[in-house]
Amino acid sequence: MKRMIPRTRAGAGLLAACLMLGACGVTYTSPRVSNQLEGVAVREVLLTAQTVLVANKTTPYTPRSLPQAFYQTAGTGGGLRFAERLPEQPVVPDLAPEPLELRAPPQVTPPSYRIGAGDVVTLATRNTGSANDLSGLLATQNRREGYTVRDDGAISIPDIGPVRIAGLSLKDAEAALFDALIARQIDPAFSLDVAEFNSKRVAVGGKVASPRIVPVALSPLTLGEAITAAGGITLRDREYASIRIYRTGDLYQIPLEDYLRRPDLQRLNLLNGDAVYVDTSYDLDRALKFYRERVDVISLSRQARADALTELDLEVDLRRSQLEETRDNFQDRVQLDAEGRDYIYLGGEFRNNARIPLPYNQQLKLADALFSQGGYSTRTADASHIYVLRSSTHPEEFGAVTAWHLDARNPAALAVAARMEMRPDDIVFIQEQPITSWGRALDQFLPSLLNAGLDAAS
């Protein structure tokens, strides 16, 4: 009995310690997102393919832009000290990498082919394919060149005379020739073909292998066929390249990336008189090359030309140094947090709770935030409770918070996160799993409990 007294006393002390700890409030508080917050309305909205569109639209945001120095090059801008001896600088388009606008011409169905001035037509018998079976009046036909349609729209057949066929379809032209032969008491069986198409043409130039005039034949000529006939596109930088089409006073533009990606643009029908030109929105090398070529044609002495070229190189080097210094200074200010930035915040079960700056010139998505800074722990995080906490921007809803709720227990839900755009001051919060909360409570409670038990036992 005497040995049990200390144990009884120790147990009583341990129980008393437990009661004391409970009375003192030694408990673990797990952070949770709730719709109850003193004085503030919290609205919880489940993130789906539909609601993510609402989230992006209701709070529009334009990312901050990098300074213009990051888009300039040393070969353009400013004046040259030798400007009085050089021609004016060429016009160089805006160097900012803005996306090219797609202004495609409408898809049209070309009219049936009509023979025109300059076309070369040939006559052949239906049986042998030779003109020798026709009457002697037709035997003088030069089968290699055929008959060229003159400017007045007629072809001249020996001993028959001119027959006007310009503006007619092949069928109608055959009928006109047949009537002309019948009028001369000739009744041959023949066919009419176009050997050379010269009256209807499309010009293709610019950054193609072989700029040329492409004839329009019986079948419609597509944009892809015209570019292929010119040897294809030759460009080093396709990101800012475009195909421009001039048609009856209208200018259309197709970004090269869209053209290569979309077969329907490659199958656009061209019309007689169209001009197709392939070029880039800017060409920096061309600017400096222009200056060099123009210096050579100015009537300066050999030494003066060398001085001008040297001066030009010095000016370009100076501008390059100025641009590099401006960029370096900006990057230093960013590192020192001296530049205005927009941020979002990561909290909860991320491996690293952090502040993340929103990028320049582009949107940051929720998926970017979830997988940055080491991502989140799948052992402790509750993937069914991922929230984007966003304060309302409406004055009448001052302090109100919308909790955009992502349930990512099914990894397919992360596709929604890849479309959810982040906004300045958003807080991305991930709750802990219930077992994680319980384990952390034990981690805090057991050491205190053991210490209290030891104190009681002593």
Side-chain angles (χ1 to χ4, degrees), residues 227-254:
I227 292 177
T228 300
I233 297 172
T234 57
L235 278 173
R236 292 183 301 173
D237 185 1
R238 296 190 173 188
E239 184 178 1
Y240 304 109
S242 67
I243 301 172
R244 293 184 172 89
I245 302 174
Y246 299 85
R247 175 180 295 170
T248 61
D250 294 324
L251 174 61
Y252 301 97
Q253 175 176 271
I254 301 175

Side-chain angles (χ1 to χ4, degrees), residues 194-246:
V194 180
E196 296 179 21
F197 299 88
N198 300 319
S199 62
K200 297 170 179 59
R201 301 177 294 179
V202 169
V204 183
K207 298 294 185 178
V208 291
S210 179
R212 65 181 56 203
I213 301 297
V214 181
V216 178
L218 297 177
S219 300
L221 177 66
T222 66
L223 179 58
E225 291 170 344
I227 292 177
T228 300
I233 297 172
T234 57
L235 278 173
R236 292 183 301 173
D237 185 1
R238 296 190 173 188
E239 184 178 1
Y240 304 109
S242 67
I243 301 172
R244 293 184 172 89
I245 302 174
Y246 299 85

Side-chain angles (χ1 to χ4, degrees), residues 343-359 363-377 386-390 406 414 416-423 425-430:
Y343 297 92
I344 66 168
Y345 305 88
L346 308 183
E349 294 306 309
F350 283 97
R351 287 190 171 88
N352 297 292
N353 286 194
R355 181 184 72 168
I356 299 180
L358 294 182
Q363 300 284 355
L364 182 74
K365 305 299 178 62
L366 174 57
D368 298 324
L370 292 177
F371 295 104
S372 65
Q373 303 294 320
Y376 60 89
S377 172
I386 299 174
Y387 296 91
V388 176
L389 306 177
R390 180 174 297 170
L406 177 67
L414 294 175
V416 177
R419 297 196 296 270
M420 174 69 175
E421 298 175 357
M422 306 306 296
R423 297 294 184 256
D425 299 326
D426 279 354
I427 298 176
V428 184
F429 179 81
I430 305 178

Side-chain angles (χ1 to χ4, degrees), residues 258-270:
D258 291 342
Y259 169 81
L260 296 175
R261 186 176 64 252
R262 292 177 50 180
D264 61 314
L265 296 177
Q266 300 172 23
R267 292 194 295 266
L268 284 173
N269 291 329
L270 299 178

Side-chain angles (χ1 to χ4, degrees), residues 164-182:
R164 183 176 179 82
I165 60 173
L168 302 180
S169 65
L170 278 175
K171 182 178 179 180
D172 293 339
E174 279 187 342
L177 286 170
F178 186 83
D179 291 342
L181 294 175
I182 291 297

Side-chain angles (χ1 to χ4, degrees), residues 323-404:
L323 287 176
E324 291 175 353
E325 183 178 8
T326 301
R327 296 166 185 169
D328 291 342
N329 289 341
F330 174 79
Q331 292 172 350
D332 289 342
R333 291 197 302 271
V334 170
Q335 292 294 327
L336 295 172
D337 223 359
E339 279 290 330
R341 296 295 301 271
D342 296 323
Y343 297 92
I344 66 168
Y345 305 88
L346 308 183
E349 294 306 309
F350 283 97
R351 287 190 171 88
N352 297 292
N353 286 194
R355 181 184 72 168
I356 299 180
L358 294 182
Y360 292 99
N361 300 100
Q362 60 181 334
Q363 300 284 355
L364 182 74
K365 305 299 178 62
L366 174 57
D368 298 324
L370 292 177
F371 295 104
S372 65
Q373 303 294 320
Y376 60 89
S377 172
T378 56
R379 296 182 59 230
T380 63
D382 187 349
S384 66
H385 289 284
I386 299 174
Y387 296 91
V388 176
L389 306 177
R390 180 174 297 170
S391 299
S392 174
T393 57
H394 299 289
E396 63 273 15
E397 295 182 330
F398 179 77
V401 175
T402 300
W404 298 97

Side-chain angles (χ1 to χ4, degrees), residues 119 121 123 147-150 152-157 161-165 177 192:
D119 286 344
V121 298
L123 297 173
Y147 296 98
T148 300
V149 181
R150 304 181 314 204
D152 61 357
I155 59 173
S156 180
I157 303 176
V163 180
R164 183 176 179 82
I165 60 173
L177 286 170
L192 179 69

